[in-house]
C-alpha cells in the first residue's frame, strides 16, 4: 500500500521509516522478512461445514481485517482474498493497480448459532473507518475501499440496517458499498495469516496492531480468550 500525503512531523527518521513501509509489498519484499521461500500459490478455500455460514467483507488491508475476524468467537476460519472485480483469479500485483475492480477482502466461515450475522456486521464496522472513501488511513486506492458483500436479499437488508446503526457513530457519511457477491478469489498463500507470521514487520507494528487493538476493545465481549 502506498503512503501518500504524509505530513512532516518532528523527527526525520520517523518520516523516512514511514515512507518505506506499506501493506502493499511485492513477494520479494515479504521474503526479506523471513528466510522461508514466499509461497505465491493461491490459497484453498475451506469446505463449508454443516450449519456454518459465510460472510465476505472488504475494509482496507486484509492483513489486519483477517486477524480481527479470526479473533471472534464462533469464527472457524478466515481467508484473505479479492472480491468485487471483473478479472478472474487476479494476483496481488494486478489488484494493486486499481484496474481490476477488486477490493482486498476477507471471507469468514462462522457458526451463526454462536455469532449472529448482525454481530458480525457490527464487528466489520468496528474494524475499520467506513467513512473513508477508497482508502484506509495511509493506504490509498479503490482496492482498499469499504464493501459489505451480500449473498441474499435478507443479508442486504441486515447490512442496510447495520449501516443505519453505524451512521450514528460518525459525523461524516458512511461510504461502504453494499454489493452482491459474484466471486471471491483467495489471495496467495503468503498473505494468509500475515499478521501473525510477520510480527516484526514495521507496517504490522505501526499500522495493523493499533487497528486490531482498537477492534478488540470495541468487540471485547466477542473476542476469544
Amino acid at each position: 500500500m502506498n503512503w501518500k500525503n504524509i505530513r512532516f512531523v518532528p523527527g526525520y527518521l520517523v518520516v523516512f521509516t514511514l515512507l518505506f513501509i506499506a501493506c502493499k509489498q511485492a513477494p520479494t519484499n515479504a521474503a526479506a522478512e523471513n528466510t522461508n521461500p514466499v509461497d505465491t500459490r493461491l490459497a484453498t478455500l475451506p469446505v463449508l461445514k454443516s450449519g456454518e455460514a459465510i460472510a465476505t467483507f472488504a475494509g482496507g488491508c486484509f492483513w489486519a481485517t483477517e486477524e480481527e475476524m479470526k479473533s471472534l468467537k464462533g469464527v472457524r476460519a478466515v481467508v484473505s482474498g479479492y472480491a468485487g472485480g471483473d478479472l478472474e483469479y487476479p494476483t496481488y500485483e494486478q489488484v494493486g493497480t486499481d484496474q481490476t475492480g477488486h477490493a482486498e477482502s476477507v471471507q469468514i466461515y462462522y457458526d451463526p448459532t454462536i455469532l449472529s450475522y448482525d454481530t458480525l456486521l457490527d464487528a466489520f464496522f468496528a474494524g475499520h473507518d467506513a467513512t473513508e472513501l477508497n482508502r484506509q488511513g495511509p493506504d490509498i486506492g479503490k482496492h482498499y475501499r469499504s464493501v459489505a458483500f451480500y449473498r441474499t436479499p435478507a443479508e442486504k437488508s441486515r447490512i442496510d440496517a447495520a449501516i443505519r446503526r453505524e451512521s450514528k457513530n460518525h459525523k461524516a457519511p458512511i461510504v461502504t458499498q453494499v454489493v452482491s457477491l459474484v466471486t471471491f478469489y483467495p489471495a496467495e498463500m503468503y498473505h494468509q495469516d500475515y499478521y501473525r507470521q510477520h510480527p516484526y514487520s514495521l507496517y504490522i507494528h505501526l499500522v495493523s496492531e493499533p487497528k486490531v487493538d482498537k477492534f478488540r476493545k470495541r468487540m471485547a465481549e466477542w473476542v476469544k480468550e
Side-chain angles (χ1 to χ4, degrees):
M1 295 181 181
N2 297 323
W3 291 74
K4 296 181 179 178
N5 302 322
I6 296 177
R7 296 182 180 181
F8 285 90
V9 296
Y12 292 105
L13 180 60
V14 174
V15 175
F16 181 81
T17 301
L18 290 178
L19 287 172
F20 285 91
I21 61 174
C23 179
K24 182 174 181 179
Q25 297 183 17
T28 51
N29 290 335
E33 298 179 12
N34 197 311
T35 56
N36 297 322
V38 174
D39 192 345
T40 57
R41 295 174 302 165
L42 297 182
T44 301
L45 295 178
V47 176
L48 187 66
K49 292 185 176 181
S50 177
E52 275 190 331
I54 306 177
T56 306
F57 303 124
C61 178
F62 48 21
W63 296 342
T65 309
E66 178 187 337
E67 176 64 20
E68 291 168 351
M69 296 303 169
K70 276 184 176 179
S71 70
L72 295 174
K73 298 174 184 177
V75 172
R76 176 176 66 92
V78 182
V79 178
S80 289
Y82 317 110
D86 54 13
L87 177 67
E88 293 185 346
Y89 303 101
T91 66
Y92 186 57
E93 288 71 33
Q94 288 172 327
V95 171
T97 65
D98 253 356
Q99 300 300 308
T100 71
H102 294 87
E104 287 194 14
S105 309
V106 296
Q107 189 147 284
I108 306 149
Y109 297 75
Y110 69 102
D111 184 345
T113 67
I114 298 174
L115 181 68
S116 71
Y117 188 63
D118 285 346
T119 301
L120 191 57
L121 284 168
D122 289 341
F124 165 62
F125 285 110
H128 76 296
D129 186 349
T131 68
E132 292 194 314
L133 181 63
N134 297 331
R135 67 178 297 167
Q136 279 296 298
D139 302 320
I140 301 172
K142 293 179 181 178
H143 53 298
Y144 303 132
R145 67 191 184 274
S146 175
V147 189
F149 295 96
Y150 65 87
R151 289 171 168 79
T152 66
E155 284 189 351
K156 183 180 185 301
S157 295
R158 302 317 304 163
I159 294 169
D160 291 338
I163 290 175
R164 290 193 292 272
R165 290 196 303 274
E166 184 65 16
S167 295
K168 299 176 183 178
N169 299 324
H170 300 277
K171 293 181 179 179
I174 301 295
V175 295
T176 300
Q177 295 179 347
V178 182
V179 178
S180 176
L181 180 70
V182 177
T183 307
F184 174 84
Y185 295 101
E188 296 84 347
M189 286 295 298
Y190 77 92
H191 288 298
Q192 310 303 323
D193 206 23
Y194 195 97
Y195 182 95
R196 299 185 188 187
Q197 295 296 327
H198 299 81
Y200 302 111
S201 161
L202 283 176
Y203 180 89
I204 295 296
H205 180 62
L206 295 178
V207 180
S208 300
E209 285 183 5
K211 183 179 179 183
V212 172
D213 288 345
K214 181 179 179 181
F215 170 85
R216 288 174 176 164
K217 289 177 181 177
R218 289 190 62 181
M219 299 300 297
E221 180 182 354
W222 291 97
V223 173
K224 299 171 184 173
E225 296 182 357

